[in-house]
Amino acid sequence: MDGRLILPGCLHPRETPSVSLLQLGLGWFPETHGGAENVFYHLARHLPHQGVAVAGLVLGRASAVLDGGARIDSFAPPTAPLPQRLAAARAAVAAALRRQPPDLVASHFALNTLPALPALRDRPLVVHFHGPWALESAAEGAGALSVRLKLLVERLVYRRATRFVVLSRAFATILTERYGVPPDRISRVPGGVDAGRFDLPDDRAAARARLGWPQGRPVVLTVRRLVRRMGLAALVDAMVELCRRVPDALLLVAGRGPEAAALQDRIGALGLENHVRLLGFVPDAQLPLAYRAADLCVMPSQSLEGFGITALESLAAGTPLLVTPVGGLPEVVEELDGDLVLAGSDARSIGAGLAEALIGSRRMPDAAACRALVRHRFDWPVIAARTAAVYRDTLS
């Protein structure tokens, strides 16, 4: 039930018919930095090089024409009230369909697609399933009514879809078991990363000097949104065991979110002020340097982790990482020669795994192997080619 894995083939844009695509997204990646926004933005950049002409609609503050020729327009500002946003999405999609009818439509967020369904009529719709919106909300403590409404929105849109694209086998299973989508309508295309942007010439010491990080300490980095299911509370707890075995270890947490205050309180209660630092938001331009400066990265997710683009970013920088056995995370590292999947997602398993990696008793891949995996399997041109193959298959 993992969907059909779309692999790079012999397709070349000059040898295949062109396809016109209307992408419906959530936010605009230069303004908001979520996983769905990341995928939308990079597909818009790279699909034109695969013979797919792209127009896009997102929540945002400005319009843009990307270097590949894709035009992305805002249908409403991110702060617009929900009724205004939905009405604007409906009007913008209808106008786009009248102006230049696309061969197919790709949805990256169910709520922004829902009001456009009547205008789409029988046009093929591909849903990029970035995660179960309702289930994620429930995991973060949303009320029962909110969760039910989100589930209804998802089901209305998914019922209309021709094809689904998922990031991992784990999400293919959720689509089938929780939403009743037949496996033969699911294609698996992993997330991507701009491999060249993260492959810096700086060595670890130079990267730390530029960031002002300490030179003499083993540094573990995690780049996460600070919400419950990301496992940051368990990671902070794991530092007690790690510091027992590696006394000078330092954990740096990059990201922001509603759990920041609770995490800081937890750090203080455990006496870990000298071993755990919350960095807050790290600008996108500094992330390659941050990954390069770390000895090790970790993704301690507890639930509903569909893939983990930050895992790819770490590997692209040549920095190995450990992941919990949750969702699609093991799929990111399964081809690397190393023991990169932790025994569990609890604090004890995380702490023991980090300690073993830092003292050298756990098998880890070298920087060259990490970079090579990303270049060959996860670089955005490779992912765009796989996605274009799904679109052409849908039209055929």
Side-chain angles (χ1 to χ4, degrees), residues 52-323:
V52 180
V54 177
L57 294 170
V58 294
L59 284 170
R61 295 182 177 87
S63 297
V65 177
L66 304 183
D67 50 9
R71 179 174 181 85
I72 310 301
D73 289 305
S74 165
F75 63 81
T79 54
L82 181 59
Q84 178 184 332
R85 183 193 311 178
L86 297 179
R90 181 177 64 248
V93 171
L97 294 174
R98 289 193 303 268
R99 183 169 59 249
Q100 190 172 359
D103 295 317
L104 79 164
V105 176
S107 165
H108 290 263
F109 184 54
L111 182 61
N112 291 347
T113 304
L114 179 66
L117 290 181
L120 297 182
R121 297 185 178 89
D122 296 326
R123 197 170 304 278
L125 173 64
V126 176
V127 166
H128 286 260
F129 182 74
H130 296 286
W133 187 33
L135 296 179
E136 290 172 354
S137 296
E140 297 303 328
L145 178 59
S146 173
V147 171
R148 285 198 298 270
L149 288 173
K150 290 174 181 177
L151 185 60
L152 175 62
V153 169
E154 290 178 300
R155 286 178 170 163
L156 288 171
V157 173
Y158 298 169
R159 188 180 304 158
R160 171 63 181 76
T162 310
R163 180 71 62 84
F164 294 82
V165 176
V166 296
L167 298 167
S168 61
R169 290 186 292 270
F171 270 8
T173 298
I174 288 176
L175 260 184
T176 299
E177 295 182 352
R178 302 301 294 264
Y179 296 91
V181 176
D184 62 0
R185 290 170 58 196
I186 302 172
S187 297
R188 179 163 56 96
V189 181
V193 69
D194 185 347
R197 190 171 81 86
F198 288 87
D199 189 1
L200 300 180
D202 305 74
D203 63 15
R204 183 167 292 121
R208 289 191 184 185
R210 289 175 61 184
L211 292 169
W213 291 9
Q215 292 287 355
R217 301 180 67 178
V219 173
V220 177
L221 173 69
T222 190
V223 180
R224 304 266 69 193
R225 184 164 175 259
L226 308 188
V227 296
R228 294 179 193 173
R229 64 187 179 86
M230 296 301 177
L232 296 167
L235 179 57
V236 170
D237 291 349
M239 288 300 294
V240 175
E241 170 64 14
L242 177 57
C243 291
R244 185 183 68 80
R245 300 175 64 177
V246 185
D248 55 346
L250 174 64
L251 169 65
L252 300 178
V253 180
R256 57 190 174 192
E259 292 296 300
L263 288 171
Q264 193 62 62
D265 289 344
R266 199 180 200 101
I267 292 165
L270 294 172
L272 292 171
E273 294 92 336
N274 293 326
H275 296 278
V276 183
R277 298 178 191 170
L278 303 185
L279 301 178
F281 175 70
V282 174
D284 196 54
Q286 290 186 12
L287 279 177
L289 203 62
Y291 288 118
R292 189 71 193 93
D295 292 281
L296 179 67
C297 288
V298 61
M299 292 192 71
S301 301
Q302 303 293 294
S303 65
L304 300 175
E305 184 69 74
F307 187 72
I309 287 177
T310 57
L312 293 185
E313 293 174 346
S314 177
L315 296 175
T319 300
L321 81 158
L322 297 177
V323 301

Side-chain angles (χ1 to χ4, degrees), residues 342-396:
L342 294 160
S345 58
D346 58 289
R348 182 185 296 274
S349 297
I350 295 171
L354 290 174
E356 290 162 4
L358 290 177
I359 65 179
S361 63
R362 192 180 189 95
R363 203 160 42 92
M364 304 294 287
D366 62 21
C370 293
R371 294 190 181 105
L373 175 73
V374 172
R375 284 195 305 270
H376 295 147
R377 286 192 58 83
F378 300 113
D379 203 8
W380 272 118
V382 176
I383 300 306
R386 298 181 184 186
T387 305
V390 173
Y391 293 161
R392 289 192 170 91
D393 186 56
T394 301
L395 291 172
S396 68

